[in-house]
Amino acid sequence: MTETGKGVAALVLACIIWGLAPIFYKELSHVDPAEVLGHRTLWSFVTFGGVLVLQGRLSAMVAALSVPRQLGLTCLAAVFITINWFVFIWAIAVGRALEGSIGYYIFPLVAVVAGWLVLGERLARVQWLAVGLAAAAVLVLTLGLGVAPWVSIVLAVSFTCYGLIKRWIDAGPVVSVTVETLLLAPFMLVFLAMRGESAFGGTSFDTIMLVLSGPVTAVPLILFSYAAKRVAMTTMGLIQYMNPTLQFLVAWQLFGEPVTGWHGVALPMIWLALTIYSVSAIRRARRGAAPT
């Protein structure tokens, strides 16, 4: 298998794990989402730290902690990923996984707007059309359901902010996430200690599931990092739609969350927007790769 083929396989596997993750967290829906978040953070640190030890790269983590500006950016990234993780866990626990999947559908388009606002990236007209369609879909859901799909919005915006900040962090993804979870670990330990009653240690099933939340978080990110070095960005962008699609199917078919008529209007608008955006991105990439 070629290096590109290995990268595509790794990315597909990562997206499958992400897409099926709601099934895992649904099994912990009886546990306080804040406690699940605490354990997810702690065991993610243990998992990522173990990977760095095996790779002999602990010095990279020390280096990431030694530069004040980089440390500040990492702290900010940790705040946004904490928001993202908590809302995702909470949404699954309370039966709003469908809304969560919509958040990851609109994330690429929110990221495009953020690139325009923060990085000064230019957008083609068709890309503005895609953004407009996604915004209209959110408006349809807001008016039709009588409440803004804030779970979708928070997930998309928090992950966009996280992605922007990561652009300015010099450390690689595994090292930076290890540092992020290291910075969060003391707060999570104090929080869990102050809770008194805990699902951890209550039953063997809950304990094992809470511990496994670390590898469930770490493995797809490591696979994604592996793929990012071997797969073209446009290919990565298209394959990543597997994640929200699987989440949507899980929420609808396995969890039995209702897909209303308003969803029937809004979701095709979002899918059309993503199609327009993807076709535009592929064409721009091809033009950029064309010989001059």
Side-chain angles (χ1 to χ4, degrees):
M1 184 181 291
T2 65
E3 286 300 304
T4 299
K6 292 177 183 177
V8 169
L11 182 58
V12 168
L13 182 55
C15 289
I16 290 173
I17 296 172
W18 278 328
L20 299 181
I23 300 174
F24 176 87
Y25 288 104
K26 194 70 169 179
E27 294 298 317
L28 289 168
S29 59
H30 59 284
V31 180
D32 183 352
E35 182 178 351
V36 178
L37 172 67
H39 281 284
R40 181 180 185 180
T41 304
L42 291 173
W43 295 110
S44 291
F45 168 65
V46 171
T47 307
F48 283 119
V51 170
L52 292 184
V53 169
L54 291 174
Q55 294 178 337
R57 299 172 61 203
L58 279 181
S59 59
M61 186 175 71
V62 175
L65 289 165
S66 63
V67 182
R69 181 177 181 275
Q70 291 292 303
L71 182 58
L73 288 170
T74 304
C75 287
L76 194 56
V79 170
F80 281 111
I81 199 59
T82 299
I83 294 170
N84 186 270
W85 283 358
F86 177 76
V87 173
F88 178 74
I89 294 167
W90 177 87
I92 293 168
V94 300
R96 298 174 71 171
L98 183 66
E99 200 172 330
S101 72
I102 294 173
Y104 289 110
Y105 269 129
I106 65 175
F107 154 66
L109 302 173
V110 174
V112 166
V113 175
W116 171 67
L117 287 172
V118 179
L119 304 176
E121 296 177 351
R122 296 180 62 184
L123 301 185
R125 290 181 180 178
V126 290
Q127 290 177 314
W128 278 117
L129 174 60
V131 170
L133 274 171
V138 171
L139 182 61
V140 166
L141 288 175
T142 301
L143 296 176
L145 302 179
V147 61
W150 70 266
V151 169
S152 305
I153 295 169
V154 171
L155 286 176
V157 171
S158 61
F159 205 59
T160 295
C161 292
Y162 179 71
L164 276 174
I165 295 166
K166 297 284 273 190
R167 291 175 64 97
W168 300 315
I169 295 176
D170 296 334
V174 175
V175 173
S176 60
V177 174
T178 307
V179 176
E180 290 160 24
T181 51
L182 171 63
L183 294 171
L184 292 168
F187 299 100
M188 297 302 178
L189 281 171
V190 170
F191 167 74
L192 292 173
M194 292 177 62
R195 283 180 55 83
E197 185 178 349
S198 172
F200 187 80
T203 67
S204 57
F205 177 80
D206 287 346
T207 301
I208 291 171
M209 291 292 284
L210 289 169
V211 171
L212 286 177
S213 65
V216 167
T217 300
V219 169
L221 181 59
I222 293 170
L223 289 169
F224 180 85
S225 301
Y226 176 87
K229 299 176 182 178
R230 294 164 173 81
V231 180
M233 288 301 294
T234 49
T235 303
M236 290 187 68
L238 292 173
I239 293 176
Q240 285 183 81
Y241 293 143
M242 285 180 60
N243 172 19
T245 300
L246 285 172
Q247 289 189 25
F248 169 75
L249 291 173
V250 166
W252 177 30
Q253 294 295 322
L254 291 185
F255 299 165
E257 295 187 18
V259 177
T260 68
W262 296 106
H263 288 102
V265 174
L267 282 169
M269 292 173 67
I270 293 172
W271 294 331
L272 177 59
L274 291 173
T275 301
I276 293 171
Y277 167 73
S278 299
V279 170
S280 172
I282 291 171
R283 287 178 175 174
R284 293 180 75 175
R286 286 176 175 172
R287 285 199 299 268
T292 58

